[in-house]
Amino acid sequence: MIAGEQALAKRSCMLFSSPDDPVDVWVPELQRNLPEVEFRVAPELGAAADIDYAIVWKPPAGLLASLPNLKVIFSIGAGIDHILADPERPKALPIVRMVDPYLRDMMCEYALLGVLHFHRFMPEYQADQQARVWQRRWPHYTPEMTVGVLGLGEIGAKVAESFRQLGFRVRGWSRGEKRLPGIECFHGRAALPVMLSACHYLVCVLPLTGETAGLLDAAAFAALPRGAVVVSIGRGKHVVEPDLLSALESGQVGGAFLDVYASEPPQPAHPFWRHPRVIMTPHIAGEIVPKSSAKVVAANVRRHLAGEPIAHVVDLARGY
Ligand code: NDP
Ligand code: OXD
């Protein structure tokens, strides 16, 4: 029986599981885009053998392994580290990461917000406002300021281009060699210190892998020009947080705009909460909005039902 005939024989079934995403928004949106598919919401699995697809964020350990006929795992996230964290995950199944133009655009907005906050002296002007001080600061000259973007994938390439369009000099860094118009591209670990050496602003939009964990450590901060600003929107574990704090204390790093943390939420005693040069947000740089993302998932499910290759399957050997 070919895949299309199979779909006619049995109504396909998708399981939704997320502790953080609104099921009352997600499931109706998925249903609207995939009326031919039945939806279930964990932990109410019904007959587990019915379930063909799972769409998940931080699935509980063992959930995916309990679905004997699962065919594809969809991530409610561009990153898939939240799925790999489950040691019982069925290792042979394809994992599809979220590649969504709306998510990408939100990430660009956030990266611009983070850099511009410091570029336009907002911390200083906020302090002045508190002190009722009227004081102009001489502006940075944007064409002489360099933004570095770590990760030049679906999101990073667009982030880099957004800064280029604003008139910044832009450097980018990726694993393999890349050519992007108007962006000075670097690749590979050996090139990282050279790349960092000119970056007044550094935006990290890498996936979390064995190679990228802990990448932003004391050595990386030391390689930046003094007073550089760090915008961290990939994953918290890219940053060695005690090293960032030391670099902020010494002034080597002039400010940090952070969306992701080694542990989320950070402990109440974490020094980031009260640091005057740190802006924190709760992992919201790019949201997965069902109005847009359900369409992306639906297109991929239809490809699978038609026996066509699904898009954005993670290369598990590479880790992203
Ligand atoms: P992609 O897989 O499209 O791109 C990843 C990029 O990182 C590629 O350019 C890749 O290089 C590069 N890269 C991977 N490993 C290395 C390495 N060892 N050295 C140098 N470069 C490396 O991912 P996306 O752009 O879609 O997403 C990136 C990440 O952003 C996600 O994994 C997620 O963690 C995070 N994210 C965070 C959100 C938030 O709200 N804070 C929201 C959305 C995403 P190459 O091009 O050579 O393959
Ligand atoms: C993602 C995220 O990976 O939300 O998309 O962090």
Side-chain angles (χ1 to χ4, degrees):
M1 200 188 268
I2 62 166
E5 288 168 350
Q6 228 167 7
L8 287 178
K10 167 192 156 309
R11 198 168 177 222
S12 295
C13 181
M14 178 179 269
L15 179 72
F16 176 91
S17 173
S18 167
D20 297 339
D21 295 279
V23 62
D24 54 324
V25 181
W26 257 107
V27 171
E29 202 62 49
L30 284 167
Q31 258 161 352
R32 215 165 56 77
N33 284 280
L34 282 170
E36 67 274 44
V37 173
E38 179 191 343
F39 290 90
R40 298 200 188 149
V41 179
E44 306 301 326
L45 305 188
D50 293 345
I51 295 167
D52 307 284
Y53 306 109
I55 178 162
V56 295
W57 173 253
K58 298 183 185 162
L63 174 71
L64 298 170
S66 74
L67 309 175
N69 293 318
L70 188 63
K71 296 170 185 69
V72 184
I73 303 166
F74 290 92
S75 166
I76 309 180
I80 55 138
D81 43 315
H82 63 104
I83 297 173
L84 301 185
D86 172 4
E88 295 165 53
R89 161 187 70 87
K91 308 277 186 305
L93 290 187
I95 303 179
V96 177
R97 61 195 205 83
M98 190 61 77
V99 175
D100 175 347
Y102 193 75
L103 167 68
R104 187 195 57 206
D105 291 349
M106 282 190 84
M107 292 289 274
C108 290
E109 272 174 20
Y110 188 100
L112 292 170
L113 179 72
V115 166
L116 294 179
H117 180 82
F118 288 97
H119 185 62
R120 297 302 305 267
F121 301 108
M122 280 302 126
E124 290 81 2
Y125 286 126
Q126 278 170 344
D128 289 351
Q129 183 180 346
Q130 292 300 316
R132 302 181 189 206
V133 170
W134 179 270
Q135 181 181 195
R136 294 172 70 183
R137 286 181 166 75
W138 191 243
H140 296 300
Y141 186 54
T142 300
E144 290 177 355
M145 302 300 282
T146 300
V147 179
V149 182
L150 301 177
L152 292 173
E154 293 287 341
I155 297 170
K158 185 79 191 292
V159 167
E161 172 58 15
S162 305
F163 284 108
R164 193 195 64 77
Q165 282 179 11
L166 277 192
F168 287 93
R169 290 182 185 150
V170 185
R171 289 184 164 193
W173 185 69
S174 56
R175 189 161 174 264
E177 192 171 355
K178 280 236 147 53
R179 275 164 211 226
L180 298 174
I183 314 288
E184 198 180 350
C185 292
F186 298 77
H187 68 280
R189 190 71 185 232
L192 185 61
V194 184
M195 183 267 183
L196 294 176
S197 64
C199 299
H200 304 101
Y201 305 106
L202 183 68
V203 179
C204 179
V205 64
L206 289 163
L208 184 66
T209 68
E211 288 179 11
T212 63
L215 188 84
L216 295 180
D217 60 3
F221 299 132
L224 291 165
R226 187 166 176 80
V229 163
V230 173
V231 178
S232 174
I233 57 176
R235 283 291 182 266
K237 290 194 170 100
H238 291 137
V239 175
V240 179
E241 292 180 346
D243 290 2
L244 176 57
L245 282 161
S246 302
L248 283 161
E249 288 319 310
S250 71
Q252 174 57 21
V253 168
F257 208 101
L258 308 176
D259 185 53
V260 286
Y261 310 89
S263 166
E264 295 181 4
Q267 291 298 311
H270 198 302
F272 283 160
W273 287 110
R274 299 185 64 79
H275 200 292
R277 300 296 293 178
V278 173
I279 302 279
M280 296 174 77
T281 54
H283 198 143
I284 50 75
E287 298 278 32
I288 310 275
V289 177
K291 267 194 197 333
S292 177
S293 299
K295 291 193 188 74
V296 174
V297 175
N300 240 342
V301 169
R302 293 234 166 78
R303 278 185 206 109
H304 188 258
L305 288 172
E308 292 165 12
I310 36 183
H312 310 304
V313 174
V314 171
D315 176 345
L316 289 169
R318 252 179 9 171
Y320 66 99

